[in-house]
Amino acid sequence: MLSKAKTLEGYKLDSLEGEIGKVKEFYFDDRHWIIRYLVAETGTWLTDRQMLISPYALAAVNKEEKNIAVHLTKKQIEDSPPLDSHKPVSRQYEQAYYGHYGYPMYWGGPFSWGAYPYIERDREQWKAHAKDKKGWDSHLRSTSNVTGHHIQALDGEIGHVADFIIDDETWAIRYLIVDTHNWWPGKKVLVSPQWIERVSWGERKVFVNLSRETIKQSPEYTEESLLTRDYETGLHQHYKRQGYWIDELAAV
């Protein structure tokens, strides 16, 4: 199911032993544009700690109850490696974190989830794949920090990142919501990470290999828009791009 990042922010996190906090924001890697960690706001339960939850631990997202099930005990979370909230997530920290939970390292192979092109939750399958030597260096970005980055088309700027559309089954970022009100009034559009040419993090700019006019004529996104497969198909057809769901079916 597709959900906006800002919609999920504030959802309660329910561990195996009760509520542990609320969703604050997300960390994603800038190679595959996949959520690697959910940042939990734990309130008075664990003070002065930024708590990260991997998608490996996340179960059902309940939109009616506005909560996310976390398959961890409070003890497991409390004993996880502490992270200084004022420092970036280092590879050293990630290695300790993944070692603590026994998760397969997502950077330990050529695919988006290491040895797998999708998130694999079967622990028996984890044992079947040793760490691939073709690892890659991930660079984690915060959804809150990237919000506001400018979108640069082939022939000029078109707007800024207003939010992210997340697939809460695969935890891939499917689209960036682009607010274009500074260019033409009131319209928001969706841009897939697959259409991004490069990102200049220093300039806070996202470059896409699309013209302003092509983006202007794309299907509008509104708060009332239903992100159905028909809507997505029309969007991809407009840009003459193959749907991500076709690529993912071929990879399975």
Side-chain angles (χ1 to χ4, degrees):
M1 186 178 296
L2 301 180
S3 303
K4 292 193 301 181
K6 289 182 179 177
T7 297
L8 296 175
E9 291 170 8
Y11 271 36
K12 292 187 301 180
L13 297 169
D14 291 330
S15 75
L16 297 173
E17 300 170 319
E19 186 178 340
I20 57 172
K22 295 181 179 180
V23 179
K24 181 181 180 182
E25 59 178 330
F26 302 90
Y27 281 127
F28 67 93
D29 81 72
D30 60 10
R31 173 175 174 172
H32 291 288
W33 291 76
I34 289 179
I35 300 298
R36 299 303 181 186
Y37 302 101
L38 177 157
V39 183
E41 184 70 63
T42 57
T44 58
W45 177 53
L46 290 176
T47 58
D48 301 323
R49 284 183 64 177
Q50 178 168 282
M51 191 56 58
L52 303 185
I53 306 293
S54 166
Y56 280 113
L58 301 179
V61 176
N62 188 323
K63 289 193 172 183
E64 288 71 28
E65 301 293 331
K66 295 186 177 181
N67 63 25
I68 301 175
V70 180
H71 283 177
L72 295 172
T73 66
K74 288 186 175 181
K75 180 65 172 173
Q76 285 177 299
I77 298 169
E78 189 173 7
D79 289 346
S80 67
L83 176 67
D84 190 326
S85 60
H86 301 292
K87 293 182 180 180
V89 180
S90 67
R91 175 51 54 83
Q92 182 179 9
Y93 172 84
E94 288 194 280
Q95 288 173 335
Y97 180 95
Y98 272 66
H100 171 72
Y101 288 112
Y103 300 145
M105 294 177 290
Y106 67 83
W107 61 88
F111 301 111
S112 56
W113 286 98
Y116 306 94
Y118 51 88
I119 187 167
E120 174 59 70
R121 291 189 168 86
D122 186 343
R123 289 182 176 269
E124 291 303 314
Q125 287 293 323
W126 297 351
K127 300 174 185 177
H129 293 271
K131 181 180 177 181
D132 195 307
K133 292 182 179 180
K134 297 179 181 179
W136 48 277
D137 292 327
S138 64
H139 298 278
L140 298 178
R141 310 289 176 179
S142 160
T143 50
S144 63
N145 288 340
V146 177
T147 298
H149 277 38
H150 298 286
I151 303 293
Q152 185 80 17
L154 292 171
D155 48 354
E157 190 175 305
I158 61 167
H160 65 272
V161 179
D163 204 346
F164 303 82
I165 301 292
I166 298 172
D167 185 329
D168 59 30
E169 292 183 2
T170 65
W171 293 98
I173 293 177
R174 296 303 187 191
Y175 305 102
L176 281 65
I177 300 178
V178 180
D179 188 337
T180 65
H181 76 272
N182 288 333
W183 184 38
W184 73 82
K187 185 172 182 178
K188 291 182 180 179
V189 295
L190 300 184
V191 171
S192 168
Q194 295 177 335
W195 310 334
I196 294 174
E197 189 174 65
R198 67 183 179 91
V199 181
S200 174
W201 301 109
E203 296 179 277
R204 294 176 60 85
K205 280 190 175 182
V206 179
F207 294 80
V208 294
N209 193 23
L210 303 166
S211 70
R212 288 164 52 145
E213 186 61 28
T214 300
I215 296 171
K216 183 178 181 180
Q217 297 301 324
S218 69
E220 183 175 6
Y221 173 80
T222 68
E223 298 301 316
E224 292 75 30
S225 297
L226 295 177
L227 292 174
T228 62
R229 184 49 50 86
D230 286 343
Y231 177 94
E232 291 187 277
T233 299
L235 181 69
H236 282 73
Q237 287 176 345
H238 171 77
Y239 287 112
K240 298 180 173 60
R241 305 296 176 95
Q242 182 169 279
Y244 61 83
W245 53 91
I246 299 174
D247 295 330
E248 291 181 356
L249 281 174
V252 174

